[in-house]
Amino acid sequence: MLSFVGVPVYEGRFGFLVMELGRELAGILMFVGVAFFLVRRLTRLERLTAGGERKGFVVMELLFLATIAAGFTAEAFRLAEPASASRGEFLGLALAGALQGFDVGLLAAGGHFGWWLHGLLGVAFIGLIAHTPLSHMLLAPANAALARPRSGITLAPIDFDAEPEGDAEISFGAAKLADLDRKKLLDFSACLWCGRCQEVCPAAQTGKALSPKKVMTTCATWLDEKRFDDPGLIDAVGLEAVFDCTTCAACVEECPASNSPAETILEFRRHFVMDRSEMPDTLALANRNLESRGHPFVGTAANPDDWRKGLDVPFFEPGKTEYLLWIGCSVAYEARAQEVARAMLRILDAAGVSYGILEESRCTGDPAKMAGDEMQFVEIAQANIEDFRERKIQKVITMCAHCFNSFDRYYPELGADWQTIPHSVLIDRLIAEGRLQVVRDEAEKITFHDPCYLARHNDIVAEPRRALAAVGQVIEMPRNRKESFCCGAGGGNYWGGKGGTARINDVRMQEAIDTGAAKVATSCSFCLLMLTSSASKHGEARRVFDVAELVAAALPASETA
């Protein structure tokens, strides 16, 4: 357009680098790129078809290729004219060579026609964007701008004291589109139906009923059909699929459009539990146990004080103790996890850390929240917050990634104001500060399993590795850090997770064994329990350890005496 008003944009250095060479390269790269993705789509890539295929991409990609081809055709006719000159339009010059000898008038007419065809095709492409799946070019950036800055899953709080509007009935969670917030509706519109969430979902990859892509495509279809108030949506998604979700946030991390399929799934889960009182039997039993006994471990033979028998463990004293060592329910009631607490005591004592525990075992309420029982979570959390305030607790060490996530992400919404630190992060800090001396064994090969609730949910990936590197050689699994594969325990699936073609923890444990490392480390008590269960199928020798156990074992003999 500038050339039309007399600005010499085709001259000089700018004309050569940008208008000729740069534009030529850009056109070629666009054509090759779009052609590549068109071929991929036409080869019926599984993730593009599984769970639903969105129509309209092929036509728009063909239109885009036709637009670029028309542009190069117009360029060739222009450059074939005797008066034309170009230094950088190398493809156009090559094509123009085939037109040498044509009548000048024909060349001018061909260039004129090609210019208009190129322009009209381009305008048509732009005009159709909003009416085709390519609308994601507009919606995905907007969706990303509105996404929460914090990684992982964040469930919106529920105001249980709110009065219903008019004659509306009180309802929790979501059963229909109208129950979801506008950001989630935008998620459905921005969704590419690309299936990347399907490829990384541990439930989908082990043959279970859940397909995060299918959840999104179902909701997107109902949105297109304007079925906002149809309560049948939740049943179209299905109870089994909703409770297969391990809340690992892999779908959230992977989505190129900043969607959060897991948050939508958990809103459906909330409705199943709090409105319809429906959930898998094993999870319901754990949930009832949490309500009646304060922990979800049904049938456990352990007493809450078993882990500290024979040990002189200090209790937290307000004004004197710096850290509260939070024990949590899994460490208190599962024998294997109890060893993590014993190892952590040795580490804290060796480093001279001021710490103490509560006299009674407690749960943060994470199993209730992620199972969909928000009301029970709020009751547990408020009781913990009130007690922490009375004791003036300001710093808390957790040994479970789920406890850390609850304390750090959800408790502040209810009034909590203390600092929470995962035990692996504290261990790394103590080693870095020189307060904790460990003996490194170069021959010790360790592979690390990233807990979803530390890596993907909270971006904690370097600290556990540094702590392990201080005691041995760290070997990575193919899927690691924020691309880690789930252990299968999250979202209450420690008490469920049945069905499908394989157990999620078995898949992950095999991946760890395939690294050749003698030891598998993690930094979450639930991951420890799940992987230990799978490791038992590969021999009786202990292979799975918590970071604290390996560091405690590497302490000099004088410090463990």
Side-chain angles (χ1 to χ4, degrees):
M1 295 193 315
L2 290 173
S3 65
F4 286 157
V5 295
V7 179
V9 292
Y10 281 95
E11 297 178 8
R13 191 177 183 84
F14 178 83
F16 170 69
L17 292 176
V18 178
M19 298 303 295
E20 293 181 354
L21 182 61
R23 194 173 60 166
E24 198 79 350
L25 290 171
I28 293 170
L29 290 173
M30 284 193 294
F31 189 90
V32 172
V34 173
F36 169 77
F37 286 113
L38 177 61
V39 171
R40 271 169 64 89
R41 188 171 293 278
L42 293 176
T43 54
R44 312 294 291 173
L45 195 64
E46 183 182 357
R47 65 174 170 81
L48 295 176
T49 57
E53 183 177 9
R54 198 170 186 185
K55 306 298 183 182
F57 278 108
V58 171
V59 173
M60 288 297 284
E61 287 168 348
L62 289 172
L63 177 57
F64 195 74
L65 293 176
T67 303
I68 299 172
F72 279 116
T73 301
E75 180 182 289
F77 273 98
R78 170 172 58 80
L79 295 175
E81 296 183 41
S84 296
S86 177
R87 296 166 293 165
E89 295 168 300
F90 56 90
L91 179 57
L93 287 169
L95 295 174
L99 300 175
Q100 295 298 324
F102 280 73
D103 180 74
V104 174
L106 181 61
L107 292 174
H112 193 67
F113 175 78
W115 189 93
W116 276 103
L117 178 63
H118 173 61
L120 290 173
L121 288 174
V123 170
F125 178 84
I126 293 170
L128 288 170
I129 285 175
H131 305 281
T132 66
L134 264 67
S135 59
H136 75 265
M137 294 195 297
L138 305 173
L139 296 175
N143 205 37
L146 295 171
R148 295 184 183 91
R150 184 165 183 172
S151 299
I153 300 167
T154 299
L155 289 173
I158 297 176
D159 184 0
F160 292 104
D161 297 323
E163 294 292 333
E165 297 180 6
D167 297 329
E169 296 182 1
I170 297 176
S171 178
F172 301 121
K176 54 187 184 293
L177 290 176
D179 296 331
L180 296 166
D181 60 48
R182 292 190 176 186
K183 172 59 172 67
K184 291 183 177 60
L185 299 182
L186 182 57
D187 281 359
F188 308 145
S189 297
C191 180
L192 306 173
W193 297 34
C194 66
R196 291 172 187 260
C197 56
Q198 177 103 353
E199 282 190 328
V200 297
C201 174
Q205 294 308 304
T206 53
K208 295 176 176 57
L210 175 63
S211 160
K213 177 187 174 182
K214 191 171 182 180
V215 173
M216 298 298 287
T217 59
T218 300
C219 292
T221 301
W222 285 50
L223 182 61
D224 289 341
E225 295 171 356
K226 295 181 170 50
R227 299 166 68 178
F228 295 98
D229 296 308
D230 188 338
L233 175 61
I234 191 172
D235 293 308
V237 173
L239 182 143
E240 185 180 359
V242 165
F243 282 95
D244 277 340
C245 178
T246 64
T247 65
C248 71
C251 58
V252 182
E253 180 69 25
E254 188 69 15
C255 181
S258 298
N259 293 335
S260 182
E263 290 182 10
T264 296
I265 292 168
L266 290 176
E267 289 296 344
F268 291 140
R269 186 179 287 188
R270 282 172 158 182
H271 189 82
F272 272 126
V273 173
M274 290 189 287
D275 261 55
R276 293 169 48 164
S277 299
E278 297 178 26
M279 61 192 333
D281 292 341
T282 52
L283 183 55
L285 191 59
N287 209 43
R288 285 196 298 271
N289 207 70
L290 177 60
E291 184 176 0
S292 60
R293 300 182 182 179
H295 69 86
F297 292 89
V298 182
T300 178
N303 291 313
D305 297 328
D306 285 352
W307 71 272
R308 57 188 176 94
K309 283 183 178 177
L311 299 174
D312 184 16
V313 185
F315 293 115
F316 186 89
E317 296 182 57
K320 295 183 179 179
T321 309
E322 182 180 6
Y323 288 99
L324 169 69
L325 178 61
W326 175 262
I327 303 304
C329 55
S330 58
V331 171
Y333 291 99
E334 286 286 355
R336 178 65 188 89
Q338 289 173 358
E339 297 181 39
V340 179
R342 297 187 190 108
M344 197 61 198
L345 294 185
R346 295 199 297 275
I347 290 171
L348 295 175
D349 288 337
V353 175
S354 170
Y355 73 95
I357 65 169
L358 298 178
E359 294 186 32
E360 67 284 354
S361 63
R362 303 234 183 128
C363 179
T364 60
D366 169 83
K369 187 178 187 75
M370 293 305 163
D373 194 345
E374 183 74 16
M375 191 173 294
Q376 186 176 179
F377 167 76
V378 170
E379 290 177 358
I380 293 171
Q382 287 177 337
N384 285 333
I385 291 170
E386 184 178 350
D387 189 46
F388 278 31
R389 280 179 182 160
E390 290 177 359
R391 298 171 189 261
K392 297 181 173 58
I393 293 170
Q394 293 299 311
K395 296 180 181 179
V396 179
I397 305 166
T398 58
M399 291 175 282
C400 171
H402 297 258
C403 292
F404 169 75
N405 190 68
S406 289
F407 279 152
D408 196 65
R409 188 183 298 261
Y410 295 117
Y411 272 51
E413 296 174 343
L414 301 172
D417 59 356
W418 59 81
Q419 176 191 357
T420 310
I421 180 170
H423 72 308
S424 58
V425 175
L426 180 63
I427 292 170
D428 171 57
R429 186 182 301 172
L430 294 173
I431 293 173
E433 292 174 354
R435 297 174 63 183
L436 196 64
Q437 302 294 325
V438 293
V439 179
R440 190 172 194 273
D441 181 359
E442 182 62 34
E444 185 92 293
K445 293 184 179 181
I446 308 165
T447 189
F448 182 66
H449 162 76
D450 289 273
C452 301
Y453 272 65
L454 287 186
R456 269 191 294 273
H457 285 258
N458 292 290
D459 302 311
I460 297 171
V461 295
E463 295 89 336
R465 284 174 169 78
R466 286 198 297 260
L468 288 173
V471 301
Q473 181 186 162
V474 179
I475 301 174
E476 295 289 358
M477 285 186 253
R479 290 181 282 193
N480 58 70
R481 295 177 172 83
K482 298 190 76 172
E483 294 180 359
S484 175
F485 193 69
C486 184
C487 76
N493 279 278
Y494 180 81
W495 298 276
K498 307 294 190 234
T501 56
R503 294 178 66 197
I504 296 170
N505 48 318
D506 289 347
V507 173
R508 185 55 168 171
M509 191 62 209
Q510 185 62 55
E511 195 169 350
I513 289 172
D514 290 344
T515 65
K519 294 179 179 179
V520 181
T522 188
S523 54
C524 171
S525 52
F526 279 100
C527 292
L528 178 74
L529 293 169
M530 293 295 282
L531 295 178
T532 297
S533 172
S534 293
S536 63
K537 301 176 183 178
H538 298 272
E540 296 182 1
R542 179 169 292 183
R543 304 186 69 146
V544 184
F545 300 86
D546 187 88
V547 169
E549 293 179 291
L550 294 178
V551 171
L555 292 173
S558 59
E559 296 189 19
T560 58

